[in-house]
Amino acid sequence: MTGFPWQSADGSQPVFDAERAEKAVRELLLACGEDPDRNGLQETPARVARAFREMFAGLYNNPDSVLDKTFDECHDELVLVTDIPLFSTCVPSKQTVNAVGGRKQAREVQVGDQLWTLADGKVEPTTVTQISSHTTRELVEVTTTGGRFTVTPDHPLATPEGWLEAKDVEGTFIEWTHARQLSRDRWRPTLGYDFGYVVGSVCADGTTAERYVSLVVNDRDYAKKFAVSLRRAFGIEARIEPVERPSGHFRVRVTSSYFADLMRQYASGNFPAVVLNDRSTFNGFLDGCTDGDGAPPLDDLAPLIGARFTPKAGGPASHLYVADSWFRKHGFPQQTVRHELIESEWVRVESVRRIEATGTKPYTVYSFKCDPHPTFLIAGHLSHNCEHHLVPFHGVAHVGYIPSEEGKVTGLSKLARLVDLYAKRPQVQERLTSQIADALVRKLNPRGVIVVIEAEHLCMAMRGIRKPGARTTTSAVRGLHKTSVSSRAEALDLINGRTR
C-alpha cells in the first residue's frame, strides 16, 4: 500500500513521460482519421502533452507540502475560504440498489450499508463508503426479461461487450441475478475427497429438486459418511432421518436452493467434470458412486480417463475397473473446472425509454462509492460506479477549519493551492473532498475541518445526457465540525449565505 495519496505503488513520485504522451496523441489523431503530419497539426501532440502535464500537475507534487509553513497566531475561531475554483477529471454514477437485508431507495442508503453485487458470477456484499447526489432532468427506463429499472443515460451496465452506458444497451444483454435469491444462505465448497464423495453420492443415488437435495439409501453407514462429507466439504450440518421409501430406509436431506443449484451446475453435462479438478476429488467421487445403491455414468466416465468400456448385454450389471496403475502410467487427466456456483445469467434488453422531467422540479440521483467491489445491483442488474470517462469536472471548493489549541494557522493562499494540487489528477469528486479534509488534519491538527465542493461534470454537459448546469455537491467534515451541530451549522450558514 502507498503511504500517501500522491505516491505511486513503490512510494516514489510519478514522472510525466512527455515522449510517450506525444506518441499517444499522434495515435489518437490517426484513429480519428486525421494526419498528424499535416500543416496545423504538426505541433499538436507536443501542445496536448503539455496541457495534460498541467492538467495532472497534482500527480507530480506532494499536495501536503503546501501546508508545511504555518503560524502560531493564537487564533481559535473558524477560518473559512469560499469559492476556490477547481478543475478535475471524472464523474460518479447513480441510482437505486439491492441492499443486503432488502431493496432500498437511493435516498435511504447510508454510508456503511452493504449492497449486493456480482463478482465473477458470484453474489457478494460490498460496503457503501461515500454517497453524493445531484439533480438531472433526464433519465432512461431500461426494460429487460429480468425486470425494469430507471437510471441516468450514462450509467454503466455490464454487458457481454463490456461496460456500456444505459442509453446504448437496447438489443444487447445485461448480467442479472434474481433478487429473491440474494439473501439465501451460501456455502463455499472446498475441493478434495469429501467434495468428490458428495458429488458421486448425489449422482448415483441422490435427488436434486428445485429447493432441496435428498439422498435415500439402505446402508446407514453410507448415509453417515455422506453427512460427514457434507460438513467437511460444504460446512453443511445435515441429520440422518429414518424413512420408509422404496429406495431405502435412511435419508439425508439438505433444504437449500443454493445447494440444489450447485448440484445442478455440477451435473449440467452427462458427467460432472468438476471432479477432475484433482486426483483426491476424483477418488472421492468414485467412492461416493460405488458405496451407494445406484451406478455412476460408466459410459461417460470411461472416455474421460482413457479406459475402454463396453456395456454388458443381457446381464445384471456392467463393470468398469479403474486401477492406480493406469494413472501411474498415463497420468491423471486433470481439468480446471469451476466449483463455485455461477449465480448470474444474461437477460435481454427489450427497450430503453428516455424520461424527461416535466415542470420545474428535476430528478435527484445518487452516487455510491463502494468497497471492496465498485459494482452494485439495480433490480438484480449489474451496474458500475467508477472513474470511467476521464472528462473534466469544474466548480468551487469551500474549505474551513478551526485551528488547534495552539492557534496554528496557514496562509489563506495555501488552502487554494492545496485544492488545486489534489484536483489536478484523475479524480472523483467524493475522493477529492475527503483528501483535502484529511490533508488539513494531517498537517495542521485542527480541532475541526469542513470541506464542501460544488462542481459541474462535463461528461454530463458535453456527452451522455448533455445537460449543462447540473451540479454535484459533496462534503467532508472532521473533528468538531462532525461532532458539534452548532460548529457545523455556523460553517454551512457562512457557505450557503455567501451570495446573499
Side-chain angles (χ1 to χ4, degrees), residues 298-317:
L298 301 182
D299 51 344
D300 296 319
L301 171 61
L304 287 172
I305 63 173
R308 293 182 180 180
F309 172 71
T310 303
K312 187 174 182 179

Side-chain angles (χ1 to χ4, degrees), residues 181-204:
Q181 297 179 343
L182 291 174
S183 297
R184 62 183 179 175
D185 291 332
R186 289 173 173 81
W187 293 279
R188 302 305 186 198
T190 302
L191 290 173
Y193 180 89
D194 291 294
F195 175 91
Y197 193 87
V198 169
V199 176
S201 300
V202 172
C203 286

Side-chain angles (χ1 to χ4, degrees), residues 66-81:
V66 303
L67 300 178
D68 285 344
K69 189 173 183 179
T70 60
F71 312 92
D72 294 328
E73 295 292 341
C74 297
H75 185 78
D76 60 0
E77 298 295 335
L78 174 67
V79 177
L80 178 67
V81 179

Side-chain angles (χ1 to χ4, degrees), residues 234-441:
F234 295 89
I236 298 174
E237 298 289 346
R239 295 184 297 109
I240 303 173
E241 304 170 327
V243 295
E244 290 298 329
R245 299 283 190 276
S247 55
H249 305 295
F250 302 98
R251 180 177 72 181
V252 179
R253 178 183 172 114
V254 178
T255 303
S256 165
S257 63
Y258 183 85
F259 187 66
D261 287 345
L262 261 179
M263 291 300 109
R264 272 190 291 272
Q265 177 176 302
Y266 296 155
S268 58
N270 294 326
F271 178 82
V274 67
V275 302
L276 297 177
N277 271 291
D278 58 60
R279 179 77 181 276
S280 177
T281 299
F282 182 72
N283 287 341
F285 169 75
L286 291 180
D287 287 351
C289 287
T290 56
D291 282 356
D293 304 321
L298 301 182
D299 51 344
D300 296 319
L301 171 61
L304 287 172
I305 63 173
R308 293 182 180 180
F309 172 71
T310 303
K312 187 174 182 179
S318 300
H319 299 275
L320 173 67
Y321 293 97
V322 182
D324 288 343
S325 58
W326 192 94
F327 291 120
R328 287 196 296 269
K329 181 178 180 181
H330 300 282
F332 177 70
Q334 184 171 354
Q335 299 181 17
T336 301
V337 181
R338 178 167 177 157
H339 63 287
E340 295 181 319
L341 182 63
I342 300 173
E343 297 188 75
S344 67
E345 60 184 279
W346 298 108
V347 291
R348 176 175 287 278
V349 180
E350 297 179 335
S351 66
V352 177
R353 182 175 66 90
R354 288 188 176 272
I355 303 174
E356 295 278 352
T358 58
T360 58
K361 188 176 180 180
Y363 300 110
T364 300
V365 292
Y366 292 80
S367 169
F368 305 111
K369 182 179 179 182
C370 303
D371 186 73
H373 305 290
T375 55
F376 53 89
L377 297 179
I378 304 171
H381 301 80
L382 184 58
S383 71
H384 205 298
N385 183 31
C386 64
E387 302 174 1
H388 60 286
H389 295 312
L390 204 66
V391 175
F393 64 78
H394 64 94
V396 293
H398 316 292
V399 180
Y401 67 97
I402 301 175
S404 63
E405 294 182 359
E406 295 77 20
K408 182 187 293 185
V409 298
T410 189
L412 300 182
S413 65
K414 305 301 184 184
L415 299 181
R417 179 63 175 159
L418 181 71
V419 171
D420 187 61
L421 286 177
Y422 272 120
K424 286 185 174 178
R425 57 183 61 202
Q427 192 63 278
V428 291
Q429 185 174 330
E430 299 93 331
R431 183 198 302 133
L432 172 63
T433 311
S434 295
Q435 285 178 338
I436 296 169
D438 292 339
L440 289 169
V441 171

Side-chain angles (χ1 to χ4, degrees), residues 147-188:
R148 179 182 294 120
F149 59 97
T150 302
V151 291
T152 51
D154 63 344
H155 195 101
L157 300 171
T159 75
E161 295 80 29
W163 295 101
L164 293 181
E165 295 183 356
K167 63 182 176 58
D168 299 323
V169 298
E170 186 167 359
T172 185
F173 296 83
I174 300 174
E175 191 172 3
W176 171 87
T177 191
H178 204 298
R180 288 187 306 208
Q181 297 179 343
L182 291 174
S183 297
R184 62 183 179 175
D185 291 332
R186 289 173 173 81
W187 293 279
R188 302 305 186 198

